[in-house]
Structures are given as C-alpha cells and as structure tokens.
Amino acid sequence: MADNKEFMKKDLSLIIQIDNKMHYNDISQVQKIRDTIISKNVFKTNLGKRYVNKLEQIIQRQNTNKCLFCGNNITNPNDTVICEVCSSKFPANPTTSNQETSKSAKETEIKDKILQNANDLVDNAKNRIHSADIKSQTQNIAKNISENKNVQHSKEYAKKMTQNVKESMNKINNDTNDNEGTSQKSTNNRKNLIVCLILLVAIIALISIIGLETIFTMATVISLGYLIYTCVKKKSKKKAIIAFVVCLLLTGIANQFSTGSNSDNVLAYLGTSEEQAFKDYDSNQFRSELNLLTNENTQTNGKPWITILNGEVADVVLDSGMNSSLNVSGIHIGDSADDVAAAMKKQDAVYDTEYSISGTLETYYYKYNGQKVQVIFTIKDGIVTRISCTLCN
C-alpha cells in the first residue's frame, strides 16, 4: 500500500474539487455522485470514507448543516459541506482553474454537466493514484536491491562470526586437554554457558521477527507430529502427550496476550484479525463500504467502532457516548487540547501540520507496539469530541 499521507493528500484535493461543483439540495445528484465514487473505488483513506458518510447523511437528510471536518454549523449547506473556518485553512486546488470564479457564476454552466465532470475527476484521480503506485513500486525495487546488498554483507559477517566461534571452541577444547579434574568441569560449564547464550539470542531474535504466538503454534504442531509418530511406531507416548499439552497451553496464553482487544487503549484493536474482532462484535452489525467492513454509527454497547480491511482491523473510532475508560494513549473523550499535546509529546509523535487545523483537527503519527499509526483528534471548544485511529502500512 502506498504511503497513507500521500493518499490522504489526494483524497483531500478530490473532496475540495467535488465540493466546489456540488449542489447538495439536489438529492438525486448527490446519490449519483456517491454511487460513482463507490463504484470506482476512489478514496483510500479515512478522510474519504468520512466524505462518503457525509453524502449518505445528506441523502438521509441528517446533520446536513454540520461541517465535514469540525462539526460546526454551515451557513450554506446546499452548496458545501465545509464551513468557512475550515475552508479558509485549506488552499484551493491549483489544478482547478475554475475555482477562482464565484460559485453562483458556475451554477448555470455546470448544472447539466456536473455528473460528467465528477466522473472525469474520479478517472483523473485514479490515474494520479496509479502513477503514484508506479513510483512507489520503483522505489521499493531500489530499496530491495539495497537490502539485498545488506543481506550479502550480513552473510559475510555471519561467516566470519562462525569462524570465530569455531576458533573459540577449538581453543576451549585445547584448554580442556591440558587440564584435569576441576578444570575439565569448569571448561564444560563455559561451553554450556556459551551454548545457552547463543540459544537465548536466537530465541529473542525469533520472537522479534515472527512473534511469540507463532513460535508456540509451531511448537504445538511439531509436538503433535511427534505424538503421531510415537503412535505409529508404538513407542512410549507419555513424553509426547506432555509436550503437546504444554505447547497447546502456551499457544493459548500467547494468543490471549497478543490480541489485546480487552485493553482500554483502543489502539490495541489495530492489527487484530477479523476472527478475533467478531468474537467481540456482532458480525451482523457490519456493512460493506468501499471494499471495507465497518460498524461505524451502529450501537456497539459502549465499544469503539472498527473498520476491517484485508482480514484485520485497520481503523478504530472513539466517539462521545462510548465507555469512559476507553482511551488512545491516555487521551479520553472529554480531555482538553492541552492534554492531547502533552500525551503526544510523551509518545514522540510527529505532528502533521499540512493536514491539521489548529484547535479543530489535530493529526499525529507515532509507533504503537512496533506499528506506525495515524491518530486524528477532533476538538471543539478546546475539548476532544472524537478520536480516529488508522493503521499505516
């Protein structure tokens, strides 16, 4: 997946273009634009999804006078979904020359062609996204070439380290031949210590690469295979059964710790599997939207809304009315903007000035459990009213 920030920039630009051409009091036109956007799979980010949800609200005649970004009232809801304050903070799209004219002057010439223009904008956006994908793939190829070189250097270094270990072991063996009694025992202890250290380093490296749950799962499969082998060969099964039961228990424990879905920090939901999510949520509440599964705006008994993409939770939303203990890195609904700044400083979060509206929409990037996340705080009158969290790949 291309960089989430680039997709967000494209979605924001396209939203502004479509908004400048829309007449939201024409419900049939809004429905056609919504259907065109969904059928062509235009938007790639949570910001685009919010715009589609806004179109749905307009069709249902709900919250038609609320700003898409800050939730404040709009003076002209028939012409735009962006309030004057937010509109003044976003620059006009430089690629759209007609934006310099007033909206009233456009109405007569756009009325009959609005659908065709919207489709053209959608196709152009997809072409720009395709070009960005090609550029990203080229960069990935160059990165892979560089990483392959690093792998070759690592192999050479590992070969040297192996030779050094062999020399060290030979030296230990030579010392063993020169000593008797307690010296022999001391040397054996040193050898055992070296082997234990090597195994410990290998286990730590393996855990960091594939995770504790995967290691225990592999051990369970191996022990099950050994148990089957002992049954076929008619050998003693006691040790095989014990090994299988222990590995199975450890796998269950690791799975319980790894899911983390019971944590009050809703970031723990990000990256969990679809199967695990359906253990906590009613699958019938989810609807398909832009190739996603989401339960946003449904009753979840105080739990956060989640969005599932490619079999895992990719987006979590914390809104007013949900369990008060739920938080994002210590920030709860109802906390102040100063609390947000202090919490993000502790996380060494990067503030995104380009896609933030100071005091209204605050966007941060930081790492949680080794994964990069985007967190957007919606703030009204200095108070946090909504928190949206997205997993960045």
Side-chain angles (χ1 to χ4, degrees), residues 11-38:
D11 284 359
L12 177 61
S13 175
L14 186 54
I15 289 170
I16 294 174
Q17 291 181 52
I18 296 176
D19 183 76
N20 284 328
K21 295 179 182 297
M22 285 294 294
H23 299 280
Y24 294 100
N25 58 335
D26 187 348
I27 300 302
S28 62
Q29 177 187 328
V30 174
Q31 290 175 330
K32 291 179 180 179
I33 293 299
R34 179 204 61 182
D35 293 342
T36 300
I37 291 173
I38 293 176

Side-chain angles (χ1 to χ4, degrees), residues 290-305:
L290 296 175
N291 297 328
L292 306 171
L293 287 176
T294 181
N295 63 353
E296 189 167 347
N297 296 323
T298 64
Q299 178 57 249
T300 57
N301 296 325
K303 289 179 288 189
W305 294 320

Side-chain angles (χ1 to χ4, degrees), residues 15-25 29 51 76-82 98-111 114:
I15 289 170
I16 294 174
Q17 291 181 52
I18 296 176
D19 183 76
N20 284 328
K21 295 179 182 297
M22 285 294 294
H23 299 280
Y24 294 100
N25 58 335
Q29 177 187 328
Y51 182 70
N76 53 341
N78 291 334
D79 296 329
T80 181
V81 295
I82 305 174
N98 288 336
Q99 290 179 1
E100 296 175 358
T101 63
S102 66
K103 193 162 188 177
S104 60
K106 297 182 193 176
E107 288 181 349
T108 56
E109 62 183 276
I110 291 176
K111 185 174 182 180
I114 184 63

Side-chain angles (χ1 to χ4, degrees), residues 259-313:
T259 56
S261 60
N262 293 325
S263 171
D264 286 340
N265 188 346
V266 299
L267 290 178
Y269 282 89
L270 293 176
T272 58
S273 66
E274 179 177 338
E275 292 77 9
Q276 181 63 34
F278 286 159
K279 291 180 181 179
D280 296 337
Y281 291 89
D282 182 0
S283 60
N284 294 324
Q285 293 180 332
F286 287 81
R287 63 183 183 277
S288 178
E289 183 177 290
L290 296 175
N291 297 328
L292 306 171
L293 287 176
T294 181
N295 63 353
E296 189 167 347
N297 296 323
T298 64
Q299 178 57 249
T300 57
N301 296 325
K303 289 179 288 189
W305 294 320
I306 64 173
T307 298
I308 298 173
L309 174 65
N310 296 329
E312 67 177 20
V313 177

Side-chain angles (χ1 to χ4, degrees), residues 229-238:
Y229 171 79
T230 57
C231 292
V232 172
K233 294 296 184 178
K234 297 182 179 180
K235 295 183 177 181
S236 175
K237 306 176 186 61
K238 183 177 180 179

Side-chain angles (χ1 to χ4, degrees), residues 75-137:
T75 57
N76 53 341
N78 291 334
D79 296 329
T80 181
V81 295
I82 305 174
C83 70
E84 293 179 357
V85 176
C86 294
S87 179
S88 66
K89 296 182 180 180
F90 286 113
N93 193 326
T95 63
T96 307
S97 59
N98 288 336
Q99 290 179 1
E100 296 175 358
T101 63
S102 66
K103 193 162 188 177
S104 60
K106 297 182 193 176
E107 288 181 349
T108 56
E109 62 183 276
I110 291 176
K111 185 174 182 180
D112 296 331
K113 298 181 180 180
I114 184 63
L115 296 179
Q116 183 62 41
N117 288 342
N119 285 330
D120 291 342
L121 288 172
V122 168
D123 291 335
N124 290 336
K126 292 201 74 174
N127 290 335
R128 290 196 298 271
I129 292 172
H130 179 67
S131 298
D133 288 341
I134 294 175
K135 181 178 178 181
S136 175
Q137 291 171 6

